Amino acid sequence: MRILIVGAGGVGSAAARIAVRRDFFEAIVVADYDPARPEALVAELGDPRFSAAQVDASDAASVAALVRESGATHVLNAVDPRFVMPIFTGVFDAGATYLDMAMSLSKPHPEKPYELPGVKLGDEQFAAAEKWRAAGRLALVGIGVEPGLSDVFARYAQDELFAEIDELGVRDGANLVVEGYDFAPSFSIWTTIEECLNPPVIYEKDRGWYTTAPFSEPEVFDFPEGIGPVECVNVEHEEVLLMPRWTNAKRVTFKYGLGDEFIQVLQVLHKTGLDRTDPVTVKGVQVSPRDVVAAALPDPATLGDRMTGKTCAGVWVRGTGKDGEPRSTYLYHVADNEQTMRQDNSQAVVWQTAINPVIALELLARGDWAGEGVLGPEAFDARPFLDLLAEPAPAGYGSPWGMVEKEITPSDG
């Protein structure tokens, strides 16, 4: 296996730092628009299997040319979702396997944005599924942490824990603090704005996909391992578009623990138009307001040594257990910033995202996972993934996941 990682930001760099300890691949090329970034990363790793390259992720032809030049058999897209389609197209044209951690962008419904979905997350990629299948090629989409590990948990819950699933509720929360900053997102602000200000999507089996207002249906969720209660709200996310395709859940939701201050900042960005991606003219120069916001904030990849705390990703599954009794279970994974910085010099949020595609690549290399077409993580057996994630190093990745039983409410039963 020869791997090309497109993007040497926080997640791409963390993936390389995790992969350097593994032996399932022959070579990894790390590419970025700015060649200095992958060159510095490769120098840091000091492993002859790694090399650096330059690529324009907005140009499918540039991506395809690098895939061919590097001899890559598998390409991991580690840039923000506006570049999904050029990379996705370029990888297909070059004949390689594709993986990403965020899917093609959505467009709100033109008349009823808070009732009906318009173009949904991933629609452009799923429209090409038959082409990928006919060519005998795999595009494994949404294999970060959320989407990604959360989807693996959903498949595991369906296969091994539940006879019937009433709701798959992805719940994400953290107690991370960034010293010295009043406002410093721990993940790409470009992606965060996209997720949080678009109409959230909810799935119900008897209704299909529908939308609601941003930050709707607040609830307090008690996260494990010392994080505690966090208020979570509806946010647009890929799991709601992926899980119904491969599970039998009656309802699928995604709620994110943002906090009042974070929500207020996002609302101000929206009201002032600073969330816009279309360029505006400033003193004769065309600039995207959202790009200006991203440039003004600190790079999340550089915040690790100022961060403390943990982040938790997981799925709250409610329904009927294999024993026929009501069951309410939260399957989760926690990343501690102190540990991820010590081990891989990567802050917890990007590290927790990056470990999952590396595991998926290893499963593909071993033949434990295989498929054709455009497939989400739910399309594969969850057990090999979760075993490899938790098994102590060097055999596995030494990052345990957990389960906690939640109180069963009347609505669960």
Side-chain angles (χ1 to χ4, degrees), residues 245-285:
R245 298 174 187 269
W246 289 282
T247 73
N248 294 318
K250 297 175 184 176
R251 192 169 195 262
V252 183
T253 58
F254 180 97
K255 292 189 179 182
Y256 192 13
L258 293 171
D260 289 341
E261 182 186 18
F262 204 113
I263 290 173
Q264 289 168 8
V265 170
L266 292 172
Q267 288 172 332
V268 169
L269 291 176
H270 180 61
K271 287 179 181 178
T272 57
L274 290 172
D275 62 325
R276 291 171 50 192
T277 58
D278 295 334
V280 298
T281 301
V282 180
K283 296 183 178 180
V285 179

Side-chain angles (χ1 to χ4, degrees), residues 268-333:
V268 169
L269 291 176
H270 180 61
K271 287 179 181 178
T272 57
L274 290 172
D275 62 325
R276 291 171 50 192
T277 58
D278 295 334
V280 298
T281 301
V282 180
K283 296 183 178 180
V285 179
Q286 290 276 298
V287 295
S288 159
R290 193 184 300 185
D291 287 344
V292 173
V293 172
L297 289 169
D299 180 353
T302 67
L303 296 176
D305 58 354
R306 292 175 174 264
M307 287 173 61
T308 56
K310 300 175 181 179
T311 183
C312 179
V315 180
W316 183 16
V317 190
R318 285 168 282 180
T320 304
K322 295 290 188 182
D323 60 1
E325 295 296 320
R327 184 168 186 176
S328 178
T329 306
Y330 184 58
L331 297 88
Y332 68 91
H333 180 264

Side-chain angles (χ1 to χ4, degrees), residues 39 80 82 103 106 111 121 127 133 159 205 208 211 222-223 232 234 283 287 290-291 303 365 407:
E39 286 168 2
D80 71 57
R82 67 186 133 163
M103 299 180 67
S106 64
E111 283 102 36
L121 291 169
R133 190 161 42 245
D159 287 351
K205 201 161 192 176
T211 56
D222 191 7
F223 288 90
C232 298
N234 280 322
K283 296 183 178 180
V287 295
R290 193 184 300 185
D291 287 344
L303 296 176
E407 181 181 357

Side-chain angles (χ1 to χ4, degrees), residues 40-347:
L41 177 64
V42 168
E44 170 198 321
L45 296 173
D47 187 315
R49 297 176 298 169
F50 286 77
S51 60
Q54 196 275 338
V55 70
D56 182 354
S58 69
D59 181 4
S62 175
V63 173
L66 181 56
V67 175
R68 295 186 184 105
E69 178 187 334
S70 64
T73 58
H74 294 70
V75 178
L76 173 59
N77 174 358
V79 293
D80 71 57
R82 67 186 133 163
F83 300 110
V84 162
M85 289 312 295
I87 299 173
F88 182 78
T89 302
V91 172
F92 180 85
D93 292 344
T97 295
Y98 171 89
L99 296 88
D100 68 28
M101 294 164 278
M103 299 180 67
S104 60
L105 294 173
S106 64
K107 294 179 183 176
H109 191 280
E111 283 102 36
K112 298 180 177 180
Y114 303 132
E115 298 176 39
L116 302 173
V119 176
K120 301 187 298 299
L121 291 169
D123 273 358
E124 289 184 85
Q125 289 171 284
F126 282 120
E130 183 52 43
K131 182 172 73 170
W132 282 77
R133 190 161 42 245
R137 263 178 241 148
L138 171 64
L140 174 48
V141 295
I143 187 61
V145 61
E146 289 174 344
L149 180 55
S150 55
D151 304 76
V152 173
F153 284 146
R155 173 64 187 265
Y156 178 82
Q158 176 166 287
D159 287 351
E160 303 203 23
L161 304 179
F162 284 79
E164 188 174 86
I165 295 175
D166 294 327
E167 180 170 347
L168 292 169
V170 183
R171 298 294 184 267
D172 180 303
N175 61 1
L176 294 167
V177 176
V178 183
E179 181 186 359
Y181 289 97
D182 292 329
F183 182 76
S186 57
F187 202 70
S188 161
I189 187 61
W190 201 102
T191 305
T192 301
I193 290 172
E194 186 74 18
E195 292 175 351
C196 295
L197 293 179
N198 278 347
V201 182
I202 294 171
Y203 173 82
E204 293 180 0
K205 201 161 192 176
D206 59 356
R207 184 175 175 182
W209 286 292
Y210 65 94
T211 56
T212 182
F215 317 123
S216 59
E217 300 180 3
E219 70 177 37
V220 175
F221 188 83
D222 191 7
F223 288 90
E225 300 197 21
I227 295 175
V230 178
E231 184 176 76
C232 298
V233 294
N234 280 322
V235 169
E236 180 191 49
H237 232 251
E238 287 90 344
E239 292 95 321
V240 180
L241 289 311
L242 287 169
M243 290 177 181
R245 298 174 187 269
W246 289 282
T247 73
N248 294 318
K250 297 175 184 176
R251 192 169 195 262
V252 183
T253 58
F254 180 97
K255 292 189 179 182
Y256 192 13
L258 293 171
D260 289 341
E261 182 186 18
F262 204 113
I263 290 173
Q264 289 168 8
V265 170
L266 292 172
Q267 288 172 332
V268 169
L269 291 176
H270 180 61
K271 287 179 181 178
T272 57
L274 290 172
D275 62 325
R276 291 171 50 192
T277 58
D278 295 334
V280 298
T281 301
V282 180
K283 296 183 178 180
V285 179
Q286 290 276 298
V287 295
S288 159
R290 193 184 300 185
D291 287 344
V292 173
V293 172
L297 289 169
D299 180 353
T302 67
L303 296 176
D305 58 354
R306 292 175 174 264
M307 287 173 61
T308 56
K310 300 175 181 179
T311 183
C312 179
V315 180
W316 183 16
V317 190
R318 285 168 282 180
T320 304
K322 295 290 188 182
D323 60 1
E325 295 296 320
R327 184 168 186 176
S328 178
T329 306
Y330 184 58
L331 297 88
Y332 68 91
H333 180 264
V334 168
D336 185 320
N337 191 73
E338 181 183 355
Q339 180 180 350
T340 62
M341 285 297 296
R342 183 175 64 249
Q343 179 174 299
D344 289 309
N345 194 32
S346 296
Q347 53 102 324

Side-chain angles (χ1 to χ4, degrees), residues 357-373:
V358 179
I359 293 172
L361 284 163
E362 183 158 347
L363 293 175
L364 291 169
R366 294 185 347 188
D368 292 334
W369 278 13
E372 297 173 352

